[in-house]
Amino acid sequence: MKLEVSRSAVNGVVRAPPSKSYTHRAIILAGLARGISVIKRPLLSGDTMATLHGMEMFGATARQEGNELTIRGGRIRPPSGEIDCGNSGTTLRLLTGIASLLPSTVTLTGDASLQQRPMKPLLNALSELGVSATSARNDGMAPLIIRGPNRGRWAHIKGDVSSQFISSLLISSALKELDTEIVITTPLLSKPYIDITMDLMARFGVRSWETKNGFHVPGSQTYRPLTLTIPGDYSSAAYPLVAGALTGRATVTGLDQHDRQGDRKAVDILAGFGARMSWKDDSVTAEMGSLKGQDIDLRDSPDLFSILAVLATQAEGASRLHGAEHLRHKESDRIRTTVAFLKAMGADIEEMEDGCEVRGPTPLKGRSVETMGDHRIMMAEAVAAMVADGTTIISESESAAISYPSFVADLRSLGAKIGGK
């Protein structure tokens, strides 16, 4: 469905959706744990449901009751067919590690967009561990053909393509017989996502630790079942918070001030731009302030790029968003797509290899814009439209379901003028 969004002012309260990153990992670890785990308030979106389906194909059973997901895990088994990961890069990368543990052939695939996402670093690392890990088209991308068992001791892998590769190795290595040394060969980006993986592994009873050159995972460990509640997602909370900083006042509840999510940085970044930010218990409020351009390093919080670029168009002076070159391998080339839609709306913005430069404040104008099927682009476009003159027509709204299913409803509840057709 296309969206029509007009200039709006927001004032109200919404609850942060559950964290997508935590939900993916919790589903996988529960599926590996021997017993029954209960995941409270999971994000049930297209991406996380792909992960749940994949773990069911590996032998886990799941039942949803209200806002809880009960998963019985244990020993994994070969799937009866190929695993379709849909549009979820996280699913593909994490489940590839699980597939490497089996002494049988497992095929993992996804939609056309997912089949353009890089996988070669993980395939190379698994090959080093003795796994037959190949690409069906011999291009380093899905469909992937994996055959274990994973019996190696050392794996070398790049740290600047996707932290999900390292998370995949960490999770699967605990179930191997031998200890595993994961050596990071290039600068490590998005480390908070690895911290989340290791924290959740520890909560499920498995040890791992950082070393001078990477990570160490003892082998022959067992995941234990757990009951846990998924925290609110800072990546998603950034959209209503920026809407509040630009057009009025917005409060987002359900956020843990001490969470290890990299995108928790959004609160500090907004304050640095000049938005009026305040905490009360598990709620953070963003209000309009005098915005000034900033220099922001996004190497550990790349998912904030698009919405911060929108914010920067309304800040006085120059802003530079950088350190996010790995965004070129998301659902779209997110750097190029962000620059394109903001330029179309009148922003003074230039693309860089690892981000963009923005000069503001610049009046934005309503235009017809394309999302390229990218949920973070779609949501950033909607917020940009709220400060633009005229009406902005957004090509689709369905992609928001990947990470923030209630996004449109939440913006409307805050006062956004959004219509659909």
Side-chain angles (χ1 to χ4, degrees):
M1 180 179 73
K2 290 184 177 180
L3 291 183
E4 294 184 352
V5 186
S6 303
R7 181 179 286 275
S8 312
V10 301
N11 185 16
V13 180
V14 295
R15 183 175 179 87
S19 165
K20 183 158 75 88
S21 298
Y22 273 92
T23 302
H24 276 300
R25 289 156 176 79
I27 288 171
I28 289 173
L29 296 175
L32 297 175
R34 296 184 184 179
I36 296 175
S37 296
V38 179
I39 304 173
K40 298 182 178 180
R41 201 171 177 264
L43 177 70
L44 298 179
S45 67
D47 278 13
T48 58
M49 292 304 290
T51 293
L52 181 62
H53 174 66
M55 290 308 296
E56 287 177 324
M57 292 191 71
F58 279 126
T61 59
R63 182 180 74 255
Q64 180 188 352
E65 292 183 356
N67 213 18
E68 292 186 357
L69 191 60
T70 300
I71 298 177
R72 180 185 291 274
R75 295 187 181 277
I76 60 173
R77 67 187 183 203
S80 58
E82 69 178 23
I83 296 177
D84 185 352
C85 301
N87 186 240
S88 176
T90 306
T91 303
L92 177 63
R93 288 159 178 166
L94 298 187
L95 294 190
T96 295
I98 306 305
S100 77
L101 299 170
L102 293 168
S104 54
T105 300
V106 179
T107 300
L108 301 101
T109 189
D111 65 14
S113 173
L114 189 64
Q115 292 184 32
Q116 300 302 311
R117 305 279 286 274
M119 289 293 297
K120 191 171 182 179
L122 181 57
L123 297 179
N124 289 344
L126 290 174
S127 296
E128 189 178 2
L129 289 165
V131 177
S132 174
T134 60
S135 166
R137 299 194 305 262
N138 200 32
D139 59 0
M141 294 180 280
L144 307 179
I145 303 171
I146 310 297
R147 185 180 180 89
N150 186 333
R151 290 177 174 160
R153 180 78 170 78
W154 293 83
H156 294 74
I157 193 161
K158 293 181 177 180
D160 57 357
V161 179
S162 174
S163 65
Q164 294 164 1
F165 297 154
I166 293 97
S167 288
S168 181
L169 293 173
L170 287 165
I171 291 170
S172 56
S173 292
L175 299 178
K176 294 164 58 247
E177 182 178 350
L178 296 177
D179 293 3
T180 306
E181 299 289 345
I182 302 169
V183 179
I184 309 302
T185 61
T186 58
L188 182 59
L189 302 181
S190 300
K191 187 175 181 296
Y193 291 101
I194 297 173
D195 293 337
I196 290 172
T197 298
M198 295 175 72
D199 284 350
L200 279 177
M201 288 170 63
R203 293 181 66 182
F204 277 91
V206 161
R207 296 176 298 128
S208 62
W209 56 83
E210 193 169 357
T211 66
K212 180 180 178 181
N213 298 315
F215 302 90
H216 178 87
V217 188
S220 300
Q221 298 191 73
T222 301
Y223 287 104
R224 298 194 299 265
L226 179 70
T227 295
L228 77 162
T229 300
I230 302 297
D233 192 288
Y234 276 95
S235 305
S236 297
Y239 297 90
L241 289 175
V242 170
L246 291 176
T247 74
R249 183 177 190 273
T251 297
V252 181
T253 67
L255 295 171
D256 179 353
Q257 293 189 47
H258 307 292
D259 198 290
R260 300 192 71 169
Q261 294 176 54
D263 291 338
R264 190 232 172 273
K265 187 179 179 182
V267 178
D268 298 328
I269 292 174
L270 280 166
F273 268 98
R276 296 162 56 198
M277 308 297 295
S278 59
W279 278 99
K280 183 178 180 182
D281 300 325
D282 71 342
S283 302
V284 62
T285 298
E287 298 182 71
M288 292 178 67
S290 180
L291 302 179
K292 303 288 186 181
Q294 299 291 305
D295 186 287
I296 306 296
D297 185 345
L298 292 172
R299 68 181 63 245
D300 286 334
S301 47
D303 286 341
L304 298 177
F305 173 77
S306 298
I307 191 60
L308 291 181
V310 172
L311 181 70
T313 68
Q314 303 307 301
E316 182 179 350
S319 293
R320 184 169 172 265
L321 310 180
H322 56 94
E325 58 268 25
H326 39 318
L327 288 179
R328 295 193 181 277
H329 305 292
K330 296 292 187 177
E331 288 85 345
S332 68
D333 178 337
R334 199 168 285 162
I335 293 174
R336 182 160 297 170
T337 307
T338 297
V339 171
F341 88 75
L342 284 173
K343 268 192 174 180
M345 296 179 75
D348 186 356
I349 182 171
E350 294 298 330
E351 179 179 341
M352 303 188 305
E353 181 60 31
D354 65 343
C356 68
E357 291 184 354
V358 186
R359 290 161 293 276
T362 305
L364 299 183
K365 299 184 182 300
R367 293 287 187 267
S368 291
V369 291
E370 294 290 330
T371 71
M372 307 301 292
D374 190 323
H375 55 126
R376 300 203 188 278
I377 296 296
M378 177 263 153
M379 294 187 289
E381 289 172 344
V383 175
M386 294 169 62
V387 294
D389 292 329
T391 299
T392 298
I393 299 175
I394 300 173
S395 61
E396 56 83 25
S397 61
E398 289 79 9
S399 62
I402 291 174
S403 60
Y404 194 165
S406 63
F407 172 74
V408 173
D410 282 358
L411 279 196
R412 282 177 176 147
S413 75
L414 290 171
K417 298 176 182 177
I418 301 179
K421 64 177 183 179

